[in-house]
Amino acid sequence: MNLSQIDLLAAVIAVLAVWMCGVTRVKTQVWGLVLQTTVLSGISVMLSLAGARIELIILAFVVFMIKAVAIPFFLYRAAKRISIVQDKGVSIGPTLSLMIGCGLLFIGYFLTPAFAVSSMMNQVSAGMSLALIFIGMLLMITRRLALSQVIGFLTMENGIFLYSLTQTHHMPILVEMGIVFEVLIGVLIAGVFIFRINRSFEHIDVTDMRRLRH
Amino acid sequence: MRMLLIMIIHLINLLVLPLFLVGVIRKVKALMQNRIGAPILQPFYDLAKMFRKAETVSKTASWVFLWAPRIGVAVSAVVAVLVPWDGALLPSGWAPATNFLLVLYLLALSKFFTMLAAIDTGSAFGGLGASREATISMLVEPTLVIGIGALALGAGNTNLLTIYAGQANPFVAILVGAALLLTALAELSRMPVDDPTTHLELTMVHEAMILEYSGRSLAVIEYASALRTCIFLGLAAQTLLHAWPAYQDLPILSRYAVGIAGVVALGSAVAVAEGVLVKLRWRSVPNFLAFAAVMGLLAALIAVAQVR
Amino acid sequence: MSEFELWGGSGSLCGVALFTWLAVVLTGLLKRKHSGLLFALPTIIGCAFLLSAALFGKNSTQILPFPLFLGDVGFRFVIDPLSRWFLGIIGLIGIPVALFSPGYLHHLRHRVSLGFVWAGLALLMISMVGVVLAANVLTFMVAWEVMALSSFALVIADHEQRDIRRSAFIYLGATRTGTAFLMLGFIWAHHLTGSWVFSEWGLSGTAALVPALLIFVGLATKAGSWPFHLWLPIAHPAAPAPVSAIMSGVMIKTAIYMMVRLFVLGNHFETPALGPILLILGAISAFWGVIFALLQQDLKRLLAYSSVENVGIIMMGLGMSLLGKSYGIPILTQLGLAAALLHTLNHALFKSLLFLGAGAVDARTHVRDLERLGGLIHRMPWTAGAFVVGSAAICALPPLNGFAGEWMLYQGFFGLAQNGESVGLRLGGLLLMGWLALIGALVIACFVKAVGVVFLGNPRSQEAERAREAGKGMLAAQVILALLCIGLGIAAPLVINPLGRIAAQTGSPSLLQNTWTIPIALLALILVGTIGVLAVWLRELARSLPAKRFITWECGFGDLGPRTQYTASSFAQPISRLFGAIYSYAVEINIKGRNRRHFPETVAVEMMHEAHLETKVYAPLLKSIQRMASVFLMRLQAGSIHQYLIYMAVVLGVLIWLGVSR
């Protein structure tokens, strides 16, 4: 298996996501997100250098600033303000979550022949992006705290972005940047809501939110 | 002639290094805690002192209690001679005897009798230690087999001697080496799985199993534990060194020197970790070992994809 | 048609053995209350003849002459290397069981009719030989049914106890259901091929799938594989210990024999689906068996679940063998088959040893509950020693015999990882190695619990305290089996030859000679030597400073009594909690007292688990069948004579119509 460097970095992102499945501390998860997004921006930069597409560098820079600096900083501060340290997960603990995450990575690897990608890389990146999307969904489903669910959502976003990078006919650059900004706004709004929810209920445990029905 | 030199150095390492390594680990930990600590050769003195002391054996104990330490140290010694944990290039005729499954199951033999001896005394602490040791062993064995199996796939052979005498895929080597290091922490009852210096019986795993031992048998057990430290940390060091392609081509003495340095370095890393980390809650131990398992599984995927 | 070879070959040796046992059957039925020695000797002689047939005989095929036909189908026997392997197992286990039974049955003599048990035992042996030698459906089904009925009679030997009666009926129901599937599969195969003889069947593709699956279900029920294993932990503990040993050690293996003969050797059923099915069901059985064994507090139920686990391991070997066959990798086929057969032999040896040990404990203490035993190593030292050897063997610890079989299975999976065609197959090979390691570690936990709680520590009840060593016959049987376990472990290369001959039956010449490379005998010698030197040196040191005997450390609280020891359920608790989701593991603690926290007076701890397969699948199924049957039957059997006469007239009309329209 000859992995190009980009495929290697894509695999590193996927492994980081799997690692995040087993981590319960929210601050460590935020750092994991930072690492993921940094490597993703690195991939974007490498692609632009190889294909001499300047816009990818701009995109990489924007993505990095927003998803690796601004949003994590915001989440980190939020975590400190509402004094959250750990999130033990809802139905399955971190151990089982880790195993399932690893299994999802395997599934992503085995699905690689199903994708059509640009000539610059093997199909492994596309498989890894699929794995990333699934792992993001896993994180969203199995976490108890709203903050961790936001991190899962952002992981899924990373997967979608990685997938878009592997396609020859990529989306117009403005659409890409639009999506990233939309994500920023979404997270900011979610953060505001998290503060208010915490202030009203003293916690952001979503399982207890079901009691709002009555 | 060359083979004789290799074997002599290997035997010297076997006699000197285990207790020396334990001394180094304790010294580094003391330095981490801002103490001067005992001299590095203290374990030797301790062992000599314990051999001069009489034993007190529980009335409930039977022959299992008395023979378990002897079986343990014999098995550990045989495994330490056969396994190239210090970089030894032992004669290839020995390769079939170093089959990694045989080595793992031999270590399981010593664990079996140690657990039985713990229950033999009829104390609740022994049962506690044995039950936890059984659980940790269950969590660790699959990782070891899958990880070393991934390495073996690269070498085409399940004999440790052949595996460590050949080249390895760097990614597989690093992943498996890290997994081996984490499982070594569990097997050797080090932080964060178990605190080797605790006095609280309810927090012990390995210490609880040997609580009733004293005098000569305790000395034998300590030596066996030192041997196992060398074996596990040595295997981890060798695996990590295999990620460095030039390691295979070094001459004998440099190979030994780098191997021993690797073992001592890993021992110091373990000591630093002991100073920095907190002992995990018992219920969080499977979570910790799951990381090692995932590393082993990823190494397996890479190794399997490499086979063409 | 009547090639009847009376002299020479394995056939005659088997015949002598069968006649000896027939004599035991008749004597047993006539003299109900006689002592065991009269029966033990001929049984042992029969087993010895069987062993020599296995080791020294020649291969042959025999058909019994004309008068002994049923319709136009005769009784046909075949002896080839595979049958000789299983004949060897039957003969080898029969000898210790026959040695053990007189002493054991002595303690049951008021509740059980001795001659009857011996007759049943001999009949069971005869029928097992019949199953293993059968070459066509008729012989097989006759022997199979006699085996089922005689084992049922043995299970219900102590028939005055209600739960033993219930267990025996559950066993009967399970074996009848399995036999029904088997018969259906055989009839289907006969319909497709036109022959009743096994060696003449050669189906492939989708035509082979249905009969193969039916036959597999029937055989898996007998073997005790998940999900058809529920009868095993119910029936095996209910039987007397030597009978449990034969059932667990040998009778289950006859189903494995049939699986090998029909699916692995020759090309009788060529479907690629069978390999993965065997592999997956085997893997699940192995895991299921051992985690349930960890939960058990009854020693014999623990051993029965452990049998489920070992059958799972054997089926994993067979599954891998079939995978090798469908992918055309002969070394895999042969390694898988060899590992499965070797494990069959090893399991027969150490499981019988463990069951005989449990029987000795039961005979002396009349207690099977782990929570009331303990400290027996001082009171029954030889039984304890043999049980430790048996436990070490079942944990596959070198240099005992269990290691050889599991090592070959590991090597087979590694071969799959090396030679598999797709990445998925290769990854599967490595993952299966990890799975086997997980199961191995669980088995070690299970048997450390069994040995530790039964034999070590302090006795937890009066019965355990007053136990004394078992009688000479019982001890001799256990010691023989223990020595065999050690011997077969050290002399593992000796078994490769007969396995090679069986492997050659799969079509390609044997590749097994170079697979076993470990110098196990030398290693064992070095280990024993090192321990010996160490022991001598320590004893020299002890001359000046002898060891003192004192009480166990109890934190200064004084004598705490045996209740503070770890119990079996506490030993298994960490692992049971880890897998708790599978069987809804729950611990309920009830504390009563003036002040529950500071002044507790009574503490009750209850561990609960639920086998979902039993309660959510089988129980409702059986209940609905019962209900359907009773409702339907009630309507049919209205009690009115007129209705019955109408039935008879209708059936008569249908038969006449069928006969006329031919």
Side-chain angles (χ1 to χ4, degrees):
Chain A
M1 169 171 77
N2 287 331
L3 280 181
S4 64
Q5 289 194 314
I6 296 178
D7 288 329
L8 211 57
L9 290 177
V12 166
I13 300 182
V15 168
L16 277 173
V18 170
W19 168 70
M20 274 168 58
C21 285
V23 170
T24 50
R25 290 165 178 268
V26 174
K27 287 185 185 165
T28 319
Q29 283 180 347
V30 171
W31 276 112
L33 192 65
V34 169
L35 270 173
Q36 264 186 34
T37 321
T38 318
V39 179
L40 199 54
S41 325
I43 290 184
S44 195
V45 167
M46 282 174 64
L47 268 180
S48 79
L49 288 175
R53 297 211 309 257
I54 313 271
E55 58 262 25
L56 276 181
I57 293 192
I58 303 178
L59 189 59
F61 183 67
V62 166
V63 163
F64 180 77
M65 286 320 295
I66 291 186
K67 285 181 73 175
V69 176
I71 293 185
F73 175 68
F74 182 69
L75 290 174
Y76 202 87
R77 241 188 26 159
K80 223 164 40 165
R81 283 227 344 229
I82 46 185
S83 341
I84 294 234
V85 178
Q86 278 199 336
D87 172 352
K88 290 193 189 40
V90 173
S91 39
I92 58 178
T95 320
L96 199 54
S97 180
L98 199 55
M99 291 294 159
I100 297 180
C102 190
L104 288 172
L105 192 140
F106 282 9
I107 292 178
Y109 178 78
F110 283 119
L111 284 177
T112 46
F115 294 98
V117 295
S118 78
S119 55
M120 228 171 301
M121 54 184 77
N122 292 339
Q123 297 158 314
V124 176
S125 308
M128 293 293 118
S129 69
L130 190 71
L132 213 58
I133 295 176
F134 278 136
I135 293 176
M137 280 201 273
L138 175 74
L139 283 175
M140 285 209 297
I141 295 173
T142 60
R143 294 292 158 146
R144 181 183 283 240
L145 298 177
L147 211 54
S148 306
Q149 293 182 340
V150 168
I151 293 178
F153 171 69
L154 289 168
T155 311
M156 204 164 81
E157 259 292 310
N158 275 346
I160 299 176
F161 186 63
L162 180 61
Y163 183 74
S164 77
L165 282 180
T166 67
Q167 297 306 302
T168 24
H169 305 291
H170 58 92
M171 293 191 266
I173 212 68
L174 280 177
V175 175
E176 284 278 357
M177 298 229 284
I179 293 179
V180 175
F181 275 111
E182 220 176 303
V183 167
L184 171 68
I185 304 294
V187 171
L188 284 175
I189 295 181
V192 168
F193 269 113
I194 288 176
F195 279 133
R196 305 223 53 170
I197 292 172
N198 186 60
R199 203 145 12 112
S200 308
F201 296 106
E202 303 287 317
H203 67 84
I204 55 171
D205 189 334
V206 302
T207 51
D208 284 349
M209 304 293 179
R210 296 182 61 213
R211 286 200 252 132
L212 286 172
R213 286 188 306 169
H214 315 294
Chain B
M1 189 60 221
R2 189 165 165 266
M3 195 49 68
L4 195 60
L5 180 67
I6 291 180
M7 292 214 277
I8 290 180
I9 300 184
H10 187 59
L11 274 172
I12 295 179
N13 285 339
L14 191 67
L15 290 171
V16 168
L17 215 54
L19 293 171
F20 180 73
L21 187 64
V22 171
V24 164
I25 293 179
R26 288 189 196 162
K27 188 74 164 173
V28 171
K29 186 168 172 188
L31 291 175
M32 286 283 308
Q33 294 172 342
N34 233 348
R35 301 184 279 125
I36 301 180
I40 294 190
L41 295 182
Q42 186 63 33
F44 289 95
Y45 308 142
D46 282 341
L47 222 67
K49 174 187 74 171
M50 281 197 277
F51 268 117
R52 286 198 298 264
K53 289 192 175 243
E55 276 188 76
T56 304
V57 174
S58 157
K59 285 190 194 143
T60 329
S62 65
W63 58 266
V64 174
F65 184 81
L66 290 172
W67 285 88
R70 302 166 193 180
I71 297 178
V73 81
V75 164
S76 307
V78 167
V79 169
V81 166
L82 290 175
V83 164
W85 54 272
D86 52 356
L89 283 168
L90 298 168
S92 54
W94 287 16
T98 63
N99 194 301
F100 80 89
L101 294 160
L102 176 69
V103 165
L104 284 177
Y105 273 84
L106 274 176
L107 292 170
L109 175 71
S110 89
K111 227 185 285 190
F112 179 77
F113 278 102
T114 314
M115 288 197 274
L116 280 183
I119 307 183
D120 195 14
T121 57
S123 92
F125 301 128
L128 176 75
S131 144
R132 288 181 170 183
E133 174 76 21
T135 315
I136 292 180
S137 170
M138 174 201 78
L139 294 169
V140 156
E141 289 282 327
T143 310
L144 283 175
V145 167
I146 292 184
I148 305 184
L151 276 179
L153 212 51
N157 198 319
T158 46
N159 299 328
L160 281 176
L161 221 50
T162 325
I163 296 174
Y164 285 113
Q167 295 283 359
N169 181 327
F171 294 115
V172 174
I174 294 183
L175 279 172
V176 174
L180 277 178
L181 190 58
L182 287 181
T183 52
L185 290 177
E187 284 264 1
L188 303 170
S189 309
R190 296 261 158 207
M191 298 280 237
V193 174
D194 179 24
D195 187 352
T197 58
T198 183
H199 315 293
L200 307 169
E201 290 91 349
L202 288 179
T203 59
M204 295 177 182
V205 175
H206 178 71
E207 295 293 316
M209 288 201 292
I210 61 173
L211 203 62
E212 290 289 323
Y213 281 106
S214 52
R216 293 178 292 272
S217 293
L218 187 58
V220 165
I221 289 183
E222 292 289 333
Y223 188 67
S225 167
L227 277 172
R228 280 175 50 228
T229 312
C230 269
I231 294 172
F232 278 102
L233 290 181
L235 277 180
Q238 282 294 304
T239 315
L240 287 171
L241 279 172
H242 266 65
W244 175 35
Y247 182 65
Q248 295 300 347
D249 307 317
L250 290 176
I252 309 174
L253 287 177
S254 321
R255 200 184 150 98
Y256 266 120
V258 174
I260 296 175
V263 176
V264 173
L266 275 187
S268 317
V270 166
V272 167
E274 291 220 336
V276 168
L277 292 175
V278 178
K279 188 181 107 65
L280 286 173
R281 271 186 68 202
W282 170 249
R283 296 202 174 190
S284 312
V285 169
N287 187 11
F288 171 74
L289 290 172
F291 282 105
V294 166
M295 280 195 265
L297 286 172
L298 289 174
L301 182 64
I302 300 177
V304 151
Q306 290 283 68
V307 174
R308 277 290 152 201
Chain C
M1 189 175 76
S2 341
E3 310 135 6
F4 196 11
E5 254 184 49
L6 194 52
W7 308 112
S10 306
S12 55
L13 286 168
C14 287
V16 173
L18 292 177
F19 277 114
T20 329
W21 287 336
L22 207 56
V24 176
V25 173
L26 293 171
T27 330
L29 288 174
L30 293 174
K31 293 183 123 188
R32 296 291 182 88
K33 292 277 178 192
H34 203 280
S35 113
L37 292 170
L38 176 66
F39 300 114
L41 203 55
T43 317
I44 296 180
I45 294 178
C47 293
F49 272 106
L50 204 64
L51 257 182
S52 46
L55 291 172
F56 306 119
K58 300 194 302 272
N59 304 335
S60 59
T61 316
Q62 294 178 349
I63 307 178
L64 290 187
F66 177 64
L68 291 164
F69 271 36
L70 198 73
D72 53 351
V73 185
F75 287 96
R76 218 179 148 106
F77 301 98
V78 66
I79 303 183
D80 61 0
L82 181 67
S83 356
R84 289 191 9 226
W85 181 263
F86 281 87
L87 283 179
I89 296 180
I90 299 176
L92 202 57
I93 304 297
I95 298 181
V97 166
L99 276 175
F100 185 85
S101 304
Y104 180 81
L105 291 173
H106 181 78
H107 103 275
L108 282 178
R109 66 188 181 281
H110 299 298
R111 303 206 308 256
V112 162
S113 143
L114 293 182
F116 199 67
V117 170
W118 280 105
L121 209 54
L123 200 59
L124 183 61
M125 307 282 278
I126 295 176
S127 56
M128 285 196 291
V129 171
V131 166
V132 163
L133 294 183
N136 68 356
V137 173
L138 178 67
T139 329
F140 179 79
M141 290 309 293
V142 168
W144 190 257
E145 291 287 23
V146 174
M147 195 170 75
L149 289 175
S150 54
S151 53
F152 166 73
L154 285 171
V155 167
I156 206 171
D158 192 1
H159 57 89
E160 285 168 20
Q161 314 244 28
R162 227 190 79 193
D163 39 344
I164 292 188
R165 282 205 302 272
R166 179 179 162 270
S167 314
F169 277 113
I170 294 179
Y171 171 56
L172 193 63
T175 186
R176 300 303 294 138
T177 318
T179 313
F181 276 98
L182 207 52
M183 196 69 216
L184 199 57
F186 284 150
I187 293 178
W188 197 301
H190 168 78
H191 178 68
L192 286 175
T193 57
S195 155
W196 292 111
V197 181
F198 293 133
S199 51
E200 290 170 14
W201 288 351
L203 302 163
S204 58
T206 38
L209 187 61
V210 176
L213 281 180
L214 286 171
I215 297 177
F216 173 70
V217 168
L219 291 175
T221 311
K222 184 57 134 193
S225 139
W226 189 88
F228 312 115
H229 67 283
L230 285 167
W231 63 270
L232 223 158
I234 297 178
H236 284 212
V243 173
S244 308
I246 287 250
M247 281 171 71
S248 239
V250 193
M251 198 183 73
I252 302 179
K253 309 303 172 21
T254 54
I256 302 283
Y257 160 81
M258 210 52 200
M259 280 193 213
V260 174
R261 177 156 311 279
L262 283 180
F263 300 140
V264 180
L265 298 180
N267 298 325
H268 306 302
F269 292 96
E270 294 249 7
T271 30
L274 265 182
I277 291 180
L278 267 172
L279 199 57
I280 294 177
L281 283 186
I284 299 180
S285 304
F287 182 66
W288 210 260
V290 73
I291 53 172
F292 271 88
L294 269 168
L295 288 171
Q296 300 307 317
Q297 292 174 335
D298 180 334
L299 185 56
K300 287 172 87 173
R301 262 179 88 100
L302 187 148
L303 293 175
Y305 270 110
S306 165
S307 290
V308 173
E309 175 240 328
N310 281 287
V311 162
I313 293 180
I314 296 175
M315 277 171 60
M316 277 165 86
L318 289 181
M320 188 180 71
S321 183
L322 282 178
L323 269 185
K325 228 171 129 185
S326 55
Y327 284 105
I329 311 173
I331 183 65
L332 274 192
T333 321
Q334 295 187 4
L335 257 181
L337 183 60
L341 289 177
L342 190 56
H343 198 80
T344 311
L345 172 64
N346 291 338
H347 178 242
L349 282 174
F350 47 67
K351 191 42 72 67
S352 324
L353 174 58
L354 290 170
F355 262 114
L356 292 185
V361 167
D362 187 13
R364 283 292 180 249
T365 59
H366 304 282
V367 164
R368 264 165 36 191
D369 186 1
L370 286 177
E371 317 284 24
R372 289 174 45 215
L373 291 169
L376 290 178
I377 197 170
H378 299 289
R379 295 155 178 86
M380 305 173 73
W382 286 92
T383 311
F387 202 86
V388 167
V389 170
S391 309
I394 202 171
C395 296
L397 301 176
L400 296 171
N401 59 351
F403 177 68
E406 290 214 16
W407 185 83
M408 292 187 79
L409 197 57
Y410 273 114
Q411 287 294 114
F413 289 139
F414 187 71
L416 184 64
Q418 275 184 306
N419 301 320
E421 281 179 353
S422 64
V423 175
L425 259 182
R426 296 202 291 265
L427 189 64
L430 269 184
L431 289 180
L432 280 168
M433 281 175 85
W435 189 252
L436 204 55
L438 176 70
I439 293 172
L442 283 169
V443 172
I444 294 182
C446 178
F447 278 91
V448 165
K449 170 184 114 162
V451 174
V453 172
V454 172
F455 291 102
L456 304 176
N458 287 317
R460 294 180 179 80
S461 66
Q462 293 272 23
E463 294 91 340
E465 217 176 306
R466 282 182 282 171
R468 10 169 219 111
E469 182 59 279
K472 292 225 179 52
M474 298 206 262
L475 281 182
Q478 291 178 66
V479 168
I480 289 178
L481 282 173
L483 287 174
L484 275 173
C485 283
I486 301 177
L488 265 181
I490 299 183
L494 283 181
V495 225
I496 301 284
N497 262 342
L499 284 175
R501 262 177 272 143
I502 304 179
Q505 281 184 278
T506 58
S508 33
S510 164
L511 298 163
L512 290 177
Q513 299 88 313
N514 303 326
T515 44
W516 179 259
T517 47
I518 301 181
I520 195 86
L522 185 63
L523 267 175
L525 200 62
I526 295 178
L527 266 176
V528 169
T530 320
I531 299 177
V533 163
L534 203 63
V536 166
W537 180 49
L538 283 175
R539 181 174 318 178
E540 282 306 311
L541 280 181
R543 260 183 225 288
S544 47
L545 290 169
K548 269 190 342 188
R549 286 269 175 175
F550 198 59
I551 59 174
T552 312
W553 167 245
E554 16 65 313
C555 297
F557 280 112
D559 187 16
L560 294 171
R563 293 291 299 279
T564 55
Q565 284 175 110
Y566 244 50
T567 58
S569 30
S570 21
F571 189 88
Q573 191 252 10
I575 302 183
S576 308
R577 201 172 40 81
L578 269 180
F579 294 117
I582 301 180
Y583 37 73
S584 310
Y585 180 75
V587 177
E588 203 179 285
I589 305 181
N590 276 318
I591 306 180
K592 295 203 194 63
R594 277 173 293 156
N595 177 337
R596 286 181 67 230
R597 195 162 156 209
H598 299 290
F599 301 105
E601 280 164 25
T602 53
V603 179
V605 177
E606 192 185 333
M607 317 244 176
M608 299 168 299
H609 68 272
E610 190 189 325
H612 289 293
L613 192 64
E614 197 175 332
T615 51
K616 297 229 169 56
V617 175
Y618 277 103
L621 190 68
L622 287 173
K623 216 181 294 199
S624 60
I625 292 180
Q626 253 184 332
R627 215 174 334 124
M628 233 173 27
S630 59
V631 163
F632 190 55
L633 278 179
M634 266 201 312
R635 291 228 199 95
L636 270 187
Q637 299 179 339
S640 138
I641 296 194
H642 292 265
Q643 202 162 2
Y644 298 157
L645 286 173
I646 295 180
Y647 290 157
M648 286 201 297
V650 166
V651 172
L652 194 59
V654 168
L655 284 175
I656 292 179
W657 176 75
L658 276 177
V660 163
S661 64
R662 262 296 168 144

